[in-house]
Structure formats: structure tokens, C-alpha cells
Amino acid sequence: MAGELIISISGMRGIVGENLTPNIAVDFGCAFGTFLKRSAADKNKLAVCIGRDSRPSGQLLKSAVTAGLCAVGIDVVDLGLVTTPGVSIMTRHLSCAGAVVITASHNPIEYNGTKLLLGGGVAPPSDLAWQIRQMYFDKDFDLVGSVNAGKIATNDQTDAVHIEKILAIVEKRSIAERKFKVVLDSVNGAGGRVTKRLLGEFGCEVVAINDEPTGLFAHTPEPLAENLIGLCEQVKANAADLGFAQDPDADRLAIVDENGSYIGEEYSLALAAKYVFGKGAGRAATNLSTSRMIDDIAAAAGCQVIRTPVGEANVVDAMIKNDCIIGGEGNGGVIDLRVGPVRDSLVGIALVLQLMAQTSLTISELASQIPEYYMKKQKLAVDKAGAQRILDEAKKAFPKARIDTSDGCRFDFADGWLHLRTSNTEPVMRVITEAKDKQTAQKYIDLVLSICERVLD
Ligand code: MG
């Protein structure tokens, strides 16, 4: 719930100076470090890398989490001000046992928090995340004495390693030949520095806005249409080929076309997948709440899409098990396992520019080739018992739909789909629907609302 300290499978998030204090961050570091030590096969000294986005509170929280890790005997590699995908890549590159990113992702400046990664740079699956959470609440820490306290080192190679990995999945020269003009809005987050460098490698003319990593966000940081009016205007004013927007930790990407129109976060994964499918990839994985666009693109290329419960760890797990190169989430989260096992806006940027270079089409032409859908998302205030009654009634109301119950209930119809899922952190049910047009999407929403009224009366 907004305003409360939330400790969930995605890590910790709270308001600095109110419910998120240095003491809490120290304990969280102790819990994560203890968890890593107890689960390590090799009991030798373990190292964890840590990075932060640009929020002004990042340094204090990084110091506090670092203190907690060192207190349980974990060595810490401080990566400084870097992106979340950058931290994931360095976790693998440095063979660290895990990582911590100090970020509240797309949330406003008053928030901060942590994202945890395990060895290999992957987000922990929910059972392990709950174990860490429980250790935090129980203060179940294996503190060490002075001689065994963890040591702190620094490493400034994150951007270089990240860019090298991305350049290995595209043809830099073919992108550079097009001399794209790009407007980049990094919302004064962690993405600006490394993304400008990557676009420079691609020979782009870059107009960077909000690129100082001050953490003083120039607009509400979630990369949604209503927050990117300035970017849309700059794309038009500069006659650019396209615009890119990142969230503060640079794992999400939104695209603006050459006419200055926001084309939506769902297109980031769809367009990236279009390029990768064209190269002969067999499968992709994405969550149940992501647009059908990727299914249409996959079908046209003779490829397959695997659907997973919502959550980055679930998508990555399915990608690894099914040998998928590409995957991600509809909120602008593109994952390419050749680069790293987390959502990465720089991967999205590279694959979209490569698609434009290869096809010689504009970004609006490429987007218009993908069948268009209308998506609507809504939250209903309902407790777990009420949510279950709604799910049961919905199953009766849609007997002909194809049903997936791996995460709440997803109903697939010929003309659209409906996904009902409860939140782990709030007493709400999320209702996501997508259809060929607004009226059809509204029809499904209205049906759920009428079930809700009937059941909760
Ligand atoms: Mg983020």
C-alpha cells in the first residue's frame, strides 16, 4: 500500500526518512548476506556486488546495506551509480554470489528500496525471496567477529562490460550507417550515462534530455504517455527518428515515434521480439498480462510464445528452461539472455535500432505492421477471500474461454483476453484485459465489475 514499507518478492520499498531507515537497510543486508552464506555450496568467502540508481538517498542506503553484508562476513564490490541490468551483468561477470540494487525503480523520488539478485544475476524465485524476508523479520543473522568482517572494493567497469555484451548481439555497422537521430529521456536516473555511450557506439546523433543523474526526476518517472509529453515534443522539434524513455534504474523502455507519438511500452518487447524472431529464434517467454502482439509476431515467424506468471524471475526461469533468447514483460521490459537475465532498456534500444536498420522502415511503419489492440488495466479493492469468490464466479461466467490458472486466472477468448490476479502486497485484484477494440475490452471489464458487485454484496 502506498506510504507503507513493503517487503515482497521484488525486494524492499519504502519512503526514506519515514518507514525506510538506515537501520532497516542494515538488517536487510544482514538477512540477505546470511541467506547467501547458508545456501552457498562453496563456503569460502562470498562477494556481493552493489549498485544504486541516482536518487539522493541512494548513497546512504548503499552504505547501510553494505554494512549489513560486511557484518555477516560478505565482501562487497561497490559498482557505484549504475543501472539494474548493469548490476545483473556484473554479478555474472565478477562471479559474485548475489547483488543488491538500491532503487525504487519507477516510483517517485521520496521512495527508495532494494532489488536483490542471486548468483548469475537472476532475481530470486518467490520461495527464496520469502525466505530472505522471513530472515529479516526474525533477525536471523550470522554475525561475524572483527577478523572475518567483509571488505569493500570498488569497480567502475559496469558500463564498459554492459556495452560490450550488447554490441555482441547486433551489427553495429549496419545501425551506424543509418545515422539515426535519437532523443533520449533518462529522467535524471541511472540510464543516461551508459545509454548515451551506447548510442554513440551506434553512430547516433543524440539529443539527451533529463540526462544528469541527480535523482531529481524531471517528471513522474514511470515511462507512461502522460509523463513523456516533453520527450514527444523534443522528438518532433528535433525531427528525430525516434525517442527513447527509461525509468530511473533503466530496466524499462518506452518508445516515441518520429511523429512525436508515444507508441506504448507494450511495443518495446513486441518490436525487439520481431527482430529476434526474424533471426530464427524458436521461442520467447512473457507473462500472462502481456499483450497478444507478441503471439501474432511469433505466429507470423513460425515461433512460439510461452506464458508465465507475472514476475521477472518467472519469465527468466521459463526462458532458461525453454531455451529462449528473447522474453520480457509488457511494461517495457525486454530481456535477452545473451546479455543478461533481467529486463534491460539498452537491449530494447539496440534491438529496435537493429530492426529499423535492417528493414529501412520508420518506427511508426514498424509499429503499424503489428496488429493493434486496446488494453485496459484496473484495480479492485478486495481481500483474498473476496478475490477467490470473484475468480470462482468468473470461471462459471466464461465456460468457453481457454483458462490458465498459473497466476490468478487468465481467460482467452477469440476477440481478446482477461487476466484476474491478486496482489502479494496489497488487498487488491488486478484486472487486465485486451481486445481488438475499446468496446470489447470494456465489455469484459464490465462483466468482471458486475461479478464483483454480485459476489461482494
Ligand atoms: Mg525499473
Side-chain angles (χ1 to χ4, degrees):
M1 206 170 293
E4 287 181 10
L5 178 71
I6 293 172
I7 300 179
S8 70
I9 57 166
S10 327
M12 178 172 65
R13 191 187 73 211
I15 297 178
V16 178
E18 290 186 16
N19 50 39
L20 178 51
T21 63
N23 302 33
I24 288 173
V26 172
D27 281 356
F28 209 67
C30 289
F32 184 46
T34 303
F35 166 84
L36 291 176
K37 279 204 306 188
R38 290 189 194 161
S39 47
D42 179 355
K43 297 292 177 193
N44 285 325
K45 192 108 186 205
L46 303 176
V48 161
C49 55
I50 191 165
R52 67 173 182 96
D53 76 14
S54 58
R55 281 163 221 265
S57 56
Q59 276 179 311
L60 88 85
L61 289 171
K62 188 181 71 177
S63 302
V65 173
T66 298
L69 290 164
C70 291
V72 297
I74 301 279
D75 286 341
V76 174
V77 183
D78 182 355
L79 304 174
L81 199 165
V82 290
T83 66
T84 291
V87 173
S88 169
I89 287 161
M90 290 303 277
T91 309
R92 183 173 289 182
H93 185 72
L94 299 171
S95 302
C96 286
V100 183
V101 192
I102 307 295
T103 180
S105 193
H106 58 275
N107 290 282
I109 188 168
E110 58 267 31
Y111 288 88
N112 211 336
T114 60
K115 285 185 180 179
L116 303 180
L117 300 173
L118 302 180
V122 297
S126 61
D127 57 331
L128 300 185
W130 288 116
Q131 271 184 42
I132 298 163
R133 180 179 182 271
Q134 198 55 48
M135 290 167 78
Y136 162 79
F137 282 119
D138 294 344
K139 297 204 184 302
D140 179 11
F141 310 148
D142 294 341
L143 297 172
V144 299
S146 178
V147 174
N148 294 313
K151 297 181 182 66
I152 304 168
T154 57
N155 184 305
D156 63 0
Q157 291 304 298
T158 306
D159 290 1
V161 175
H162 195 173
I163 286 171
E164 189 187 313
K165 294 228 170 260
I166 289 179
L167 293 181
I169 65 165
V170 289
E171 293 149 26
K172 174 175 143 176
R173 212 175 56 194
S174 70
I175 299 174
E177 279 170 3
R178 295 289 305 278
K179 297 185 168 39
F180 291 119
K181 187 169 187 181
V182 176
V183 184
L184 173 68
D185 181 351
S186 306
V187 71
N188 306 106
R193 185 190 62 216
V194 63
T195 310
K196 281 188 286 184
R197 193 165 149 187
L198 179 70
L199 291 170
E201 290 278 350
F202 289 147
C204 295
E205 183 185 339
V206 184
V207 178
I209 60 172
N210 311 321
D211 62 325
E212 287 299 321
T214 57
L216 305 173
F217 305 136
H219 53 75
T220 306
E222 191 162 18
L224 304 176
E226 59 264 34
N227 302 329
L228 298 175
I229 293 161
L231 173 62
C232 293
E233 286 171 356
Q234 286 298 318
V235 170
K236 260 184 113 165
N238 287 283
D241 293 292
L242 77 172
F244 290 121
Q246 300 168 306
D247 75 333
D249 65 327
D251 58 351
R252 285 171 62 174
L253 174 73
I255 302 170
V256 170
D257 75 15
E258 73 279 8
N259 305 308
S261 299
Y262 176 85
I263 65 170
E265 283 187 293
E266 292 284 342
Y267 278 89
S268 302
L269 174 59
L271 290 164
K274 190 176 166 69
Y275 170 70
V276 177
F277 284 150
K279 285 282 176 186
R283 297 187 194 109
T286 190
N287 71 38
L288 288 166
S289 287
T290 295
S291 171
R292 259 188 193 176
M293 289 190 285
I294 192 167
D295 300 273
D296 296 334
I297 297 165
C303 299
Q304 188 196 353
V305 177
I306 292 140
R307 293 280 176 171
T308 76
V310 171
E312 193 172 26
N314 297 318
V315 175
V316 169
D317 185 52
M319 288 178 74
I320 293 168
K321 284 184 178 145
N322 293 285
D323 208 14
C324 305
I325 291 174
I326 190 83
E329 298 186 305
N331 59 2
V334 183
I335 303 168
D336 186 315
L337 286 185
R338 296 169 298 182
V339 176
V342 294
R343 295 172 302 198
D344 187 340
S345 62
L346 283 81
V347 162
I349 287 170
L351 294 176
V352 166
L353 290 177
Q354 181 73 82
L355 180 66
M356 289 173 71
Q358 180 188 284
T359 57
S360 297
L361 294 174
T362 64
I363 192 70
S364 69
E365 287 166 343
L366 285 164
S368 69
Q369 285 180 345
I370 300 173
E372 200 179 345
Y373 291 100
Y374 179 82
M375 187 181 272
K376 193 168 166 68
K377 299 178 183 183
Q378 199 153 333
K379 264 190 196 180
L380 302 177
V382 56
D383 62 16
K384 279 230 180 313
Q388 190 55 52
R389 290 205 297 279
I390 294 170
L391 285 181
D392 293 341
E393 284 302 309
K395 282 181 199 163
K396 288 182 209 160
F398 305 120
K400 289 187 178 157
R402 186 158 49 86
I403 298 183
D404 185 324
T405 56
S406 59
D407 181 8
C409 227
R410 169 158 158 153
F411 302 90
D412 266 277
F413 316 104
D415 59 358
W417 56 268
L418 171 69
H419 188 198
L420 308 177
R421 57 184 297 266
T422 51
S423 164
N424 281 322
T425 51
E426 303 171 79
V428 297
M429 173 178 260
R430 294 182 201 284
V431 181
I432 307 110
T433 189
E434 186 184 57
K436 285 281 181 195
D437 54 59
K438 195 173 178 177
Q439 290 80 355
T440 311
Q442 194 59 48
K443 175 184 80 180
Y444 290 121
I445 292 276
D446 289 345
L447 276 164
V448 174
L449 292 178
S450 71
I451 290 171
C452 184
E453 259 178 47
R454 205 170 63 231
V455 166
L456 301 180
D457 249 4

Coordinates of all heavy atoms in Angstrom, one line a residue, residues 105-106 115 247 249-252 343, ligand 1:
S105 N 13.0 1.8 -8.5 CA 12.5 1.7 -9.9 C 11.8 2.9 -10.3 O 12.3 4.0 -10.3 CB 11.8 0.4 -10.0 OG 11.6 0.0 -11.3
H106 N 10.5 2.7 -10.8 CA 9.7 3.8 -11.4 C 9.0 4.7 -10.4 O 8.3 5.6 -10.8 CB 8.7 3.2 -12.4 CG 7.8 2.2 -11.7 ND1 8.1 0.9 -11.5 CD2 6.6 2.4 -11.1 CE1 7.1 0.3 -10.8 NE2 6.2 1.2 -10.6
K115 N 16.5 -4.0 -4.8 CA 16.2 -5.2 -5.6 C 17.3 -6.2 -5.3 O 18.5 -5.8 -5.3 CB 16.2 -4.9 -7.1 CG 15.0 -4.1 -7.6 CD 15.0 -4.0 -9.1 CE 13.8 -3.2 -9.6 NZ 13.8 -3.0 -11.0
D247 N 13.1 4.3 -17.2 CA 12.7 4.6 -15.9 C 14.0 4.8 -15.1 O 15.1 4.6 -15.6 CB 11.8 3.5 -15.3 CG 12.5 2.2 -14.9 OD1 13.5 1.9 -15.6 OD2 12.0 1.5 -14.1
D249 N 16.0 3.2 -13.0 CA 17.0 2.2 -13.0 C 17.2 1.5 -14.3 O 17.9 0.5 -14.4 CB 16.8 1.2 -11.8 CG 15.5 0.3 -12.0 OD1 14.5 0.8 -12.6 OD2 15.5 -0.9 -11.6
A250 N 16.6 2.1 -15.3 CA 16.8 1.7 -16.7 C 16.5 0.3 -17.1 O 17.2 -0.3 -18.0 CB 18.3 2.1 -17.1
D251 N 15.6 -0.4 -16.4 CA 15.2 -1.7 -16.9 C 13.9 -1.6 -17.8 O 13.6 -2.6 -18.5 CB 15.0 -2.7 -15.7 CG 14.0 -2.3 -14.7 OD1 13.5 -1.1 -14.8 OD2 13.7 -3.1 -13.8
R252 N 13.2 -0.5 -17.8 CA 12.0 -0.4 -18.6 C 12.3 0.7 -19.7 O 13.0 1.7 -19.5 CB 10.8 0.1 -17.8 CG 10.3 -1.1 -16.9 CD 9.3 -0.6 -15.9 NE 8.1 0.0 -16.6 CZ 7.0 0.4 -15.8 NH1 7.0 0.2 -14.5 NH2 6.0 0.9 -16.4
R343 N 15.4 -7.5 -17.1 CA 14.9 -6.5 -18.1 C 15.9 -5.4 -18.3 O 16.6 -5.0 -17.4 CB 13.6 -5.9 -17.5 CG 12.5 -6.8 -17.4 CD 11.3 -6.2 -16.7 NE 11.7 -5.7 -15.3 CZ 10.9 -5.5 -14.4 NH1 9.6 -5.6 -14.5 NH2 11.3 -5.0 -13.2
Ligands
MG1 MG 12.7 -0.2 -13.1

